[in-house]
Amino acid sequence: MYTQALSVESTAVKGAAEDANRVARFQARIDADERIEPMDWMPAAYRQTLVRQISQHAHSEIIGMQPEGNWLTRTPSLKRKLQMMAKIQDEAGHGLYLYSAAETLGVSREELVGQLLAGKAKYSSIFNYPTLSWADIGAVGWLVDGAAIMNQIPICRCSYGPYARAMVLICKEESFHQRQGFETMMALARGSADQKAMAQDALDRWWWPSVMMFGPSDKDSVHSDQAMRWKIKRFTNDELRQKFIDATVPQAQFLELSIPDPALKFNEATKHWDIGPIDWDEFWRVVKGDGPCNKQRLRAKQEAHDQGAWVREAAMAYADKRRARKAGTRVAAE
Amino acid sequence: MTDKNWPLYEVFLRPRNGLSHKHVGSLHAVDDEMALQNARDVYTRRGEALSIWVVASKAIIASEPSQREAMLEPSDPERKPYRHPTFYDIPDEVGHM
């Protein structure tokens, strides 16, 4: 899944205390398309931006398991169930790759998870929408993972090495997710009238939230310029959004489903699809915690964390015991 | 909160025989055995490896970026070009060498 380009509560770190020469040398390395690795010097603001973005991305993967898990016990066939389990495992894996990448910047896993549980960290607001029918699982794979891929492929060339490398792994796996989703939609769209109606209903509900996944419009995006200069970001939100729309509209036509936007029109001059106005009020409402499932998602994460506490404790106690026993045996043998 | 940081491990995979193990990422585990199990689950879901290595991150001895110049500059090809085959001009008549 993915993180949206969002910096709602960022506090800019002042570069004033940093040696201007060092900052200039750092920027020169970035400009020369060099990669930055964990032990290299970097401006505090670069580090902070990456920690925020990578951890938001990781949280999105972890929370993203919930809307999918909702249908895991109710898939229409065993085949679909196996596919879903594989996909959900991938999301967990993606979350873990990303937490590891964030940790190379000097934050701990516990700290990041703590921020998520405390409601202080953001995750992609798309996961605050419910998956009401089986068709939603198809729509999530096709649209949400499709949007994620658009956003993630450029991050494979991000200036920060560990993030870029994690993204290469993720993109390889994400392609299966999107194809799986599209195929699920195709089965419904080509099925009975009721099944086709389910597919259309899912598209109607997921289209706009997916379009919003790319984050605020360029003219309202807080940190876009700096992120571009640092090559953390390679395209603007609006550029990526347009790529997604151009790729997805023909796919919807292939499915013979209609995109819920009466203003949608192919622009002969630009060769792009123009869309109607985006409801940014809804976007900010969901980002700020007032989406359909914000509370439910965090509560479920908190419950899972609490219920897993004894497992984590037991694993640690067992490891300690085995270490002690091993040490004891060694002493006895000597 | 009883949670404390679990030790960090680095994961290396050999995709197939004939290739060396390559670093793919890291993970947390309480001990070596769990690290190997977690490495399998997190980094090999699609036949990525014939062999897995896990190494406690604290066991890795790494060169210091601040020492890069003293430690690694001496091998800079610009300083010692004569260590490279292209330094030597061999007439074309001699043929491939």
Side-chain angles (χ1 to χ4, degrees), chain A residues 181-229:
Chain A
F182 187 77
E183 199 228 21
T184 301
M185 286 300 266
M186 201 161 61
L188 291 168
R190 290 177 175 175
S192 66
D194 281 350
Q195 287 172 324
K196 188 165 183 185
M198 268 173 75
Q200 182 62 55
D201 169 60
L203 174 57
D204 288 347
R205 282 180 292 106
W206 287 92
W207 171 253
W208 287 110
S210 302
V211 168
M212 291 179 205
M213 273 176 72
F214 296 91
S217 174
D218 295 347
K219 54 185 196 301
D220 307 317
S221 190
V222 191
H223 274 180
S224 221
D225 286 353
Q226 184 57 69
M228 298 276 267
R229 268 198 299 281

Side-chain angles (χ1 to χ4, degrees), chain A residues 7 72 78 90 124 164 211 226 231 250 253 264 273 302 310:
Chain A
S7 359
L72 188 55
L78 181 59
D90 279 352
S124 183
V211 168
Q226 184 57 69
K231 295 189 183 168
Q253 289 171 336
L264 185 74
W273 287 89
Q302 182 71 58
W310 74 268

